[in-house]
Amino acid sequence: MKKVEAIIRPSKLKAVQRGLKEADIPCITVIPVKGTGLQKTYSERYRGTEQSMILHSRVMIMCVVSDNHLDKCIEVIKENASENQVGDGKIFIYDVQDAIRLSTGVQGNEAIL
Ligand SMILES: Nc1ncnc2c1ncn2[C@@H]1O[C@H](COP(=O)(O)OP(=O)(O)OP(=O)(O)O)[C@@H](O)[C@H]1O
Ligand SMILES: [Mg+2]
């Protein structure tokens, strides 16, 4: 099992969610976040704030998928979230030890579908 965290532009959320659903990955958690990546214009100022200190609104999509679904999940996010521009976001992937569905007590891969 893997946890995928994708930090993307809010405008891409609908397309990514649709793509994941079509790829049999319907279970996601979405969290509004603010953040900054590598900014190249260190000296510019916007309304008195140094450009590199501005926190941009992004959306974090979190999903836990079986190892079998991982490649497809990443492909869908890359296809739907990228404008091939700086600030598109990033994907982080983690190992997950286990999952438990509370309604049935089912554990493991069965619990995440
Ligand atoms: N290493 C990181 N750790 C945690 N969050 C990150 C990291 N890198 C990027 N982020 C998050 O992702 C968002 C988008 O990052 P962004 O795409 O600007 O990354 P970047 O490294 O600057 O690459 P790019 O050159 O594409 O702009 C950031 O606003 C931040 O919330
Ligand atoms: Mg950036």
Side-chain angles (χ1 to χ4, degrees):
M1 266 179 272
K2 303 279 189 240
K3 177 164 93 166
V4 178
E5 278 181 7
I7 300 172
I8 64 168
R9 299 179 193 279
S11 60
K12 304 295 182 185
L13 175 60
K14 274 242 160 67
V16 171
Q17 183 182 7
R18 191 174 301 120
L20 289 174
K21 200 165 175 235
E22 283 166 10
D24 279 332
I25 304 169
C27 305
I28 61 172
T29 297
V30 177
I31 308 154
V33 294
K34 282 181 179 288
T36 180
L38 286 175
Q39 307 305 325
K40 290 171 182 82
T41 49
Y42 290 97
S43 58
E44 279 178 39
R45 284 179 170 267
Y46 176 74
R47 292 184 182 175
T49 306
E50 195 183 320
Q51 197 62 249
S52 63
M53 294 294 288
I54 291 173
L55 296 174
H56 302 274
S57 290
R58 292 288 184 270
V59 167
M60 182 156 78
I61 299 177
M62 190 280 273
C63 54
V64 176
V65 298
S66 68
D67 291 4
N68 288 339
H69 282 80
L70 179 64
D71 288 348
K72 186 67 187 169
C73 180
I74 293 165
E75 186 189 313
V76 166
I77 296 168
K78 284 169 81 174
E79 261 176 22
N80 289 287
S82 177
E83 295 178 350
N84 295 309
Q85 286 190 54
V86 295
D88 276 349
K90 276 184 193 165
I91 304 175
F92 301 105
I93 298 152
Y94 311 80
D95 285 319
V96 171
Q97 189 173 326
D98 210 347
I100 298 159
R101 174 176 284 129
L102 289 171
S103 64
T104 58
V106 162
Q107 207 157 336
N109 273 327
E110 253 187 86
I112 59 177
L113 290 173

